[in-house]
Amino acid sequence: MKIPHEVLKIIEDIRTMRVRGAGKIARTAAKALIIASEEYRGTSLKEYLTYMELIAERLKNARPTAVSLPNAVNYVLSRLKKASMEPSSTLNKAKFIVRESANDFIKRSFEAIKKIGEIGSKRISDGEVILTHCNSTAALSVIITAHHQGKHIEVFATETRPKFQGHITAKILAKEGIPITLIPDSAVRYFMKDIDKVIVGADTVTANGAVVNKVGTSLIALAAHEARVRVFVAAETYKFSPATVLGELVMIEERDPTEVVPPEYLYENPEVIVRNPAFDVTPPEYIDAIITEKGIIPPQAAILILEEEYGWVLKDYFIKELNFAEES
Amino acid sequence: MKIPHEVLKIIEDIRTMRVRGAGKIARTAAKALIIASEEYRGTSLKEYLTYMELIAERLKNARPTAVSLPNAVNYVLSRLKKASMEPSSTLNKAKFIVRESANDFIKRSFEAIKKIGEIGSKRISDGEVILTHCNSTAALSVIITAHHQGKHIEVFATETRPKFQGHITAKILAKEGIPITLIPDSAVRYFMKDIDKVIVGADTVTANGAVVNKVGTSLIALAAHEARVRVFVAAETYKFSPATVLGELVMIEERDPTEVVPPEYLYENPEVIVRNPAFDVTPPEYIDAIITEKGIIPPQAAILILEEEYGWVLKDYFIKELNFAEES
Amino acid sequence: MKIPHEVLKIIEDIRTMRVRGAGKIARTAAKALIIASEEYRGTSLKEYLTYMELIAERLKNARPTAVSLPNAVNYVLSRLKKASMEPSSTLNKAKFIVRESANDFIKRSFEAIKKIGEIGSKRISDGEVILTHCNSTAALSVIITAHHQGKHIEVFATETRPKFQGHITAKILAKEGIPITLIPDSAVRYFMKDIDKVIVGADTVTANGAVVNKVGTSLIALAAHEARVRVFVAAETYKFSPATVLGELVMIEERDPTEVVPPEYLYENPEVIVRNPAFDVTPPEYIDAIITEKGIIPPQAAILILEEEYGWVLKDYFIKELNFAEES
Amino acid sequence: MKIPHEVLKIIEDIRTMRVRGAGKIARTAAKALIIASEEYRGTSLKEYLTYMELIAERLKNARPTAVSLPNAVNYVLSRLKKASMEPSSTLNKAKFIVRESANDFIKRSFEAIKKIGEIGSKRISDGEVILTHCNSTAALSVIITAHHQGKHIEVFATETRPKFQGHITAKILAKEGIPITLIPDSAVRYFMKDIDKVIVGADTVTANGAVVNKVGTSLIALAAHEARVRVFVAAETYKFSPATVLGELVMIEERDPTEVVPPEYLYENPEVIVRNPAFDVTPPEYIDAIITEKGIIPPQAAILILEEEYGWVLKDYFIKELNFAEES
Amino acid sequence: MKIPHEVLKIIEDIRTMRVRGAGKIARTAAKALIIASEEYRGTSLKEYLTYMELIAERLKNARPTAVSLPNAVNYVLSRLKKASMEPSSTLNKAKFIVRESANDFIKRSFEAIKKIGEIGSKRISDGEVILTHCNSTAALSVIITAHHQGKHIEVFATETRPKFQGHITAKILAKEGIPITLIPDSAVRYFMKDIDKVIVGADTVTANGAVVNKVGTSLIALAAHEARVRVFVAAETYKFSPATVLGELVMIEERDPTEVVPPEYLYENPEVIVRNPAFDVTPPEYIDAIITEKGIIPPQAAILILEEEYGWVLKDYFIKELNFAEES
Amino acid sequence: MKIPHEVLKIIEDIRTMRVRGAGKIARTAAKALIIASEEYRGTSLKEYLTYMELIAERLKNARPTAVSLPNAVNYVLSRLKKASMEPSSTLNKAKFIVRESANDFIKRSFEAIKKIGEIGSKRISDGEVILTHCNSTAALSVIITAHHQGKHIEVFATETRPKFQGHITAKILAKEGIPITLIPDSAVRYFMKDIDKVIVGADTVTANGAVVNKVGTSLIALAAHEARVRVFVAAETYKFSPATVLGELVMIEERDPTEVVPPEYLYENPEVIVRNPAFDVTPPEYIDAIITEKGIIPPQAAILILEEEYGWVLKDYFIKELNFAEES
């Protein structure tokens, strides 16, 4: 069972982060499943299922720390499995299910961003000053929707070291005509007195309501909490991690030192260790609410979203099933 | 009364920040007073005094936000004034006083750093991990002295945006053989769980114990406070600001946007405002102690140091004298 | 379709606050629906439905900031709509449904207060000193039930500026034979050291567990939190706001300045602005539990109550339905 | 209806705490129900049911403050009642149900500890230092499972006055080969700087997420919170108290002074009162997560577990049924 | 030794609070000493001294809780005693000393307010919004001075129950042309998000830096602290209490219930207790700085002011002398 | 120069802690100096001085962690040195100085306790409940003095593991007729809601206002701070450590494991490490005031006491002198 070249390329792109951002990774993985399915040349439904599970596994391993990746893949695979258990299932029907559910995932992912914008923007009042960090599509959706509603808002964006995603955020907002100020990450507490609300995105939301997001988010949330400034996290529900219910720790990826210092510096100062964690963890006590496409929730209700989404969270058989999976 | 060319150059160097760092500015100003004094070609003591006051004024205005600058200049000028009031005063004696007191200031400034190293290093225990910010000579003196005492310590240094002074700090400590890790400013809360103590420098210490230092210091102190990690500020006593006793606010200098973004970015995104404050203010509740060359004090005792140093703090005539100065 | 005079009067009474208090407004609106229904003289079920929707809309708009009002109206209307979709529905049956469900709402509203008293009183121990604010029927139900159980309790009531509802609270409790002390709102922190528990009512409970209640409540909760005094909110479930799940901000009503100062003062000091917000928002971190007629919950579980009550919270179709309603 | 001698002995053993620990009490009560059932010599199903209810009541009253006791008894009794309502029910079937469900409870109780170990151990990283209090089987399951996974961990155990259960904890962990340090309870804040995580058990978890556990737990959680050290509670779901949803306060048992001082001391100092509360209450804000056999939850989601477990929490009929039970 | 009628009237005015406000009481007492001195008709210096001590005692007892009163009286008496110990002292000289020192006190008291305005106003920046409480001359001096400097500031004033001193504050500031908003005391947390700085006066400053001021001040300071809003106390140094160094508690005066409720209410509800504390205590951790006429200090340096002012604080003989005073 | 047998025995008693408690150690050391002096059989003043310095050194090394020990010894030695520098000094005069100043120290030490009782007792109000820890003479002086003043107070005493000094405290207070309750250390947070004030002693007070006292003190202070209960430390000024001004860390003594567990336990469980720190450090933010014999101060003014007591703190020559001492 050969994996199609195009799918291999996608896996490589995710691994090397040519494709990045939790949402983009998820949608690209869904698309890869369609491609793999269409490229399948065999005639056995059973073989097809094994093939698709192999693809799914390879995709999930491409970036083991991104929760949106397995969530997207499982969205499709669970529907495929369920359908293939029916007596009337055929290979064609199975391929149809993959196509439909992958496209459905992609469509819902875009709708979620729009919906988060609609819901979240209601929490922004005319005249408010917003602080955001990094370059989150969901957070920007909230801000830009509020702007389109005619509210006069102003935004502060952190430059977001080491990769300066804040430069992109500032450019986008400037184009929308929103007054925008760019500041170094370390100036966050200095400007906090001028901020009315903090709105950031999320990479992963855990079972107990902690939010894993671009490094620096937890510092901003801490400084906001100190100044009674409310902190909102904009997160599509597929960023909620069911594995964390079972104790799984979210691994924090550490990236290449040369993102932080030029290679010469490392060469000239070989004893200097440079550490470059991509994310940090903001505890629920510093988050006022999470804005999802299904409504606004307190972080402690993340587990409710997980139960709604995955149906089996906190239920006995889930645990049994999972054990089974681990043993086989 | 022409100001000597060499003095004018020093004033310009301070203004354009070719000379920077609170300590260096102070010592350079002291040196400028010697040069000005030696270059004086007149014969009248009275004219000399007017001339020196002019120089002093020009020096102090070169960087109005640096408290160490007027403290250095006043150190010399107050001695000159006092001596010149004596009946036996002559021009030669006056020049001698300027030379002696300026050199004395410079010497004491170097001794202070050494003394701070001796005192502060006693607070560092074997095996501790220290976090420092920016590139403070006084803070490094504490760290390196502890290392020289044979204590096995480890240091985390922030890169310190926008000018990356942390690169220099890391280089210095690596040369000393101290294990050193360089991190982005935004990763401070992520690594705080591994830190035993925070040691930073100070630009200005105010009457109520707040510390003005490189932007980001207050965020670090906040994150340390959250994690019960002790924060020490290493500061020579000439960084304590007597003017703040009388309500003077410490002005926070905002520097050029091009330190933060490349000029092209500003050109391509003319609506994006970039703000670049050089310092921020850490409130006394996040500082455990200030290490001065005269001993360790709680931040709330800063006013005691001011009283010791300036003799007239909190005293009636000080206020009168100051008013007088303002009126004339 | 003329709106009956008696119903118009009720709408006006709600608008001008002759009828006030979240519970009373809700029950009065339910009663208005019965009156409107009984007064309907037409014969067409379809016309009747349109008529009732008009009444419902007018009632809801009478006081747009009170969440109990739409909750009461929707309680009746949703039952009416559901029943009228059945093939066997008739005008008479529809009127019956309105009568039944409106009366049911009213009865449940009274039962809820009794039930909250039973549940909440178990949390009060013999000898405790309770602080309450304003004049909340639900909070008083807890206090008086505990007293009837023979517990020796004592109560502090704030006077509750500007309308002095605390005077009524004190009078009620005094009649019950409960030792009662009346204090100015500003003395809350002074007396907090003598308080064992704070029990207040709620105007609105939001999706993330914040409580909107009489202005001053958040200050009391803050001072209680500072002193490790537990804060309980007594709230019937119809005060939970489903709209806040979708981001709706609870509008804080600002009332007439003459409630705060006499008209002469305004006349003599025309430049003095007087602001008089009726409510403030207490964040969930200062609330230990909310006592509802369905049990005691942490504020973060407010969303669970909303899901139980409205069935459709956090579910896709809810959002679609709502959008539909907005578009039509 | 005579209660069998063996069952009476078990009731006495629970009352006098020869049997203790929330889990052991629960399992012993389940076993007592089997014995009682088997010993029943009558032939009437109706009489048998009355008899079993009497046994259940007596068992529950043996230690009124332990929530695991009624939870275990109700687990069996609710199944018995439901089965006996079926038309086909017979005495033999009823006895079978008691035997099966009691054994089921016991088996699930052991499995829960194992499962908590598996789930919780994922949250422990290599090299971490854990602090635990008292002697909790569930907490030890987490620690020992992590150790068996090859993680190099180290543990601090408090001695746990007055009965020194920490001595047993230290002995168990030492036998497992885990480096273990025993400290007095009062030294907890002194050593907190060396701790990475706190893991403790629970006696009772309440509806709003507070945890009742061995006295001293709340002090440890407070000191951990002060130092940003995460606190985990390991608790089987049968330790969650449904009664607290309805306002029931968890009674804190006060035990004999001679556990604290030798009898001579009391004799020689008759005016000295010695108080010896067995438990204290840790508020949810100091608990990061509760590890149950069904997954990790934030403390505020305790009510979700209660709803899952008891099915009827927060539902109208629950309240009615309960009232009924109280009246009859 | 008859006390002059005019002096008796002043004593009565202070007792019944026709004269009130810490500053006014102090100055009126100083004036009373002059009157008493001038009215003295005897010829014996010794008798005069006894007479003046009697007057002093009577004045101090008129309002035992006001620290400014003994401070004013002692200011004059200590100078009188010292002068009368000199060999050359005469009755005339003694009367001169009383006149001079009392007038000096009064003049310094006015100058202090002006000086506090000058010093404190430097801490207010253009565009800031200030919150003040009650009607403090010193706090208003800061605000109005900043306004006169051309800074565009805005003020929120609490109404200050029960005596509505905020109405006067609002009137004064409106006349100055400062935009002013009057709010109920309970709305303080609601508006805190709009406030940049809190500036209040003080009745008494204690040895450990706590500030006794109009009831409600500590609530405001707490709410400001929660929101990282800085709190300044404007206090003349004669409001610092030397007796608190020796442990003396500041007594909080409780005033008449009819200030809070109309007499009818008390008549109709005789069981309702009304408590009306005039002041509360703000702990030093909620105060950023105290603005005195001698400079700005952190609250913890209050003891330094006391040492400066009274010369003998913390010194052995002070304690001895005081004991002596207590014994005789 | 033989050290007298009796002095050697005292040194040994201090070393092995037969003599313990900061006050007792200090007074015993003073007495040892008198004995050594009287026992000196030589005739050379110079030799006598060398001999006394040797004795002083030996005494100070007997328990290097107790600050009261060098303070007592230096009190005598500094007076001896000063006197012996005078031209008229003789051996007899020198012996006289030692006798006088050692007795003076002892007398002042007792007076300090009495004075602390007088000053501190003013802060205790009728009806208050006090919590104390360990067995501090100074803290008990405050409590018992308040009781003698007729105030009805009640005391909670912790048992104070591992050596149960709380048993002694309870016995003493019971004999005084003060209602006293003894509790395990771990129950402190459970009872904190009943406590009005915490009063503890101190072993050492550091330059930045931290208090080193019996292990557990910092936990109590933390729990008090959480509940807005005020914490007072009763400390004679000779417990303030001048060396900490120069950075000296206070060493925390760790004592024998057999104080915590019986030797058998160690024998049977050789892998169990038992740690037994005698003290912990309470940071100044949890201490409301320190009660000294010279008055009540905020902890941040500890440095003021040090300056008063030692005269040279914060002054240049002190540092020089100290360096000199270190070099020679």
Side-chain angles (χ1 to χ4, degrees), chain B residues 198-218:
Chain B
V198 170
I199 302 176
V200 293
D203 207 73
T204 306
V205 179
T206 73
N208 70 327
V211 168
V212 181
N213 193 40
K214 174 60 55 194
V215 72
T217 302
S218 75

Side-chain angles (χ1 to χ4, degrees), chain D residues 2-66:
Chain D
K2 231 177 85 243
I3 299 174
H5 180 73
E6 201 178 344
V7 173
L8 283 173
K9 199 186 157 299
I10 287 174
I11 289 168
E12 191 58 17
D13 282 356
I14 291 172
R15 205 184 59 74
T16 57
M17 298 179 62
R18 261 188 298 271
V19 170
R20 61 191 160 99
K24 206 160 198 179
I25 288 171
R27 286 186 296 270
T28 306
K31 211 183 296 175
L33 288 172
I34 299 179
I35 296 167
S37 173
E38 303 297 319
E39 294 283 323
Y40 178 70
R41 294 292 166 248
T43 53
S44 150
L45 173 59
K46 211 184 141 199
E47 195 201 56
Y48 171 77
L49 291 173
T50 315
Y51 163 82
M52 286 305 289
E53 275 186 16
L54 170 73
I55 302 284
E57 217 49 47
R58 290 289 297 274
L59 274 167
K60 288 198 264 186
N61 288 336
R63 185 99 183 267
T65 64

Side-chain angles (χ1 to χ4, degrees), chain A residues 237-248:
Chain A
T237 53
Y238 66 79
K239 290 183 179 164
F240 286 59
S241 162
T244 56
V245 182
L246 299 181
E248 215 59 74

Side-chain angles (χ1 to χ4, degrees), chain A residues 19-87:
Chain A
V19 171
R20 59 191 160 97
K24 205 160 199 178
I25 288 172
R27 287 187 297 269
T28 306
K31 211 183 296 175
L33 289 172
I34 299 179
I35 295 167
S37 174
E38 303 298 319
E39 294 285 322
Y40 179 70
R41 294 292 166 247
T43 53
S44 150
L45 173 58
K46 213 186 140 197
E47 196 200 56
Y48 171 77
L49 292 173
T50 315
Y51 164 81
M52 287 304 289
E53 275 187 16
L54 171 73
I55 302 284
E57 217 50 46
R58 289 289 297 273
L59 275 167
K60 289 198 263 185
N61 288 335
R63 186 101 182 265
T65 65
V67 72
S68 62
L69 181 54
N71 278 355
V73 170
N74 291 344
Y75 185 93
V76 177
L77 263 282
S78 63
R79 277 157 184 78
L80 170 60
K81 276 181 192 169
K82 204 180 149 201
S84 63
M85 280 171 189
E86 284 173 24

Side-chain angles (χ1 to χ4, degrees), chain A residues 45-183:
Chain A
L45 173 58
K46 213 186 140 197
E47 196 200 56
Y48 171 77
L49 292 173
T50 315
Y51 164 81
M52 287 304 289
E53 275 187 16
L54 171 73
I55 302 284
E57 217 50 46
R58 289 289 297 273
L59 275 167
K60 289 198 263 185
N61 288 335
R63 186 101 182 265
T65 65
V67 72
S68 62
L69 181 54
N71 278 355
V73 170
N74 291 344
Y75 185 93
V76 177
L77 263 282
S78 63
R79 277 157 184 78
L80 170 60
K81 276 181 192 169
K82 204 180 149 201
S84 63
M85 280 171 189
E86 284 173 24
S88 65
S89 67
T90 65
L91 177 56
N92 274 355
K93 278 187 186 166
K95 285 186 163 186
F96 174 80
I97 288 292
V98 165
R99 206 163 47 236
E100 285 293 87
S101 56
N103 281 326
D104 190 44
F105 180 87
I106 292 167
K107 191 168 138 259
R108 288 169 75 118
S109 145
F110 283 117
E111 282 173 357
I113 287 164
K114 189 166 164 286
K115 186 58 65 190
I116 286 170
E118 288 170 22
I119 293 174
S121 62
K122 296 185 195 160
R123 299 302 294 260
I124 299 181
S125 304
D126 196 56
E128 286 191 335
V129 182
I130 312 294
L131 173 70
T132 191
H133 184 55
C134 199
N135 182 248
S136 154
T137 312
L140 289 184
S141 176
V142 172
I143 292 167
I144 293 171
T145 305
H147 174 67
H148 286 174
Q149 290 162 355
K151 291 169 187 162
H152 300 85
I153 57 174
E154 204 180 315
V155 178
F156 277 70
T158 56
E159 58 175 15
T160 317
R161 282 284 295 158
K163 293 183 81 80
F164 296 118
Q165 290 96 328
H167 291 195
I168 306 168
T169 295
K171 186 180 292 203
I172 292 172
L173 294 175
K175 269 190 192 146
E176 289 284 345
I178 299 172
I180 171 78
T181 303
L182 190 70
I183 60 171

Side-chain angles (χ1 to χ4, degrees), chain B residues 178-227:
Chain B
I178 300 172
I180 170 78
T181 303
L182 189 69
I183 59 170
D185 301 297
S186 57
V188 155
R189 193 173 176 277
Y190 180 80
F191 288 109
M192 193 54 80
K193 61 183 181 299
D194 302 322
I195 304 298
D196 292 303
K197 271 177 196 134
V198 170
I199 302 176
V200 293
D203 207 73
T204 306
V205 179
T206 73
N208 70 327
V211 168
V212 181
N213 193 40
K214 174 60 55 194
V215 72
T217 302
S218 75
L219 255 184
I220 293 172
L222 173 64
H225 183 77
E226 182 205 14

Side-chain angles (χ1 to χ4, degrees), chain D residues 159 161 167 182 226 265 273, chain F residues 159 161 167 182 265 273:
Chain D
E159 59 174 14
R161 282 285 294 160
H167 290 194
L182 189 70
E226 183 206 14
Y265 186 87
I273 295 165
Chain F
E159 59 175 13
R161 284 284 294 159
H167 292 195
L182 189 70
Y265 186 86
I273 296 164

Side-chain angles (χ1 to χ4, degrees), chain A residues 240-308:
Chain A
F240 286 59
S241 162
T244 56
V245 182
L246 299 181
E248 215 59 74
L249 266 174
V250 177
M251 269 181 55
I252 302 294
E253 189 182 359
E254 294 223 10
R255 294 168 59 171
D256 203 79
T258 54
E259 287 185 4
V260 179
V261 292
E264 310 85 79
Y265 186 86
L266 290 172
Y267 182 77
E268 287 164 17
N269 300 281
E271 313 86 350
V272 174
I273 296 165
V274 176
R275 289 189 64 182
N276 182 18
F279 308 109
D280 66 13
V281 183
T282 303
E285 57 261 38
Y286 299 154
I287 300 166
D288 290 276
I290 301 179
I291 306 166
T292 76
E293 74 274 21
K294 301 206 162 175
I296 285 184
I297 59 162
Q300 293 86 355
I303 204 161
L304 205 67
I305 291 280
L306 286 166
E307 195 181 25
E308 285 265 330

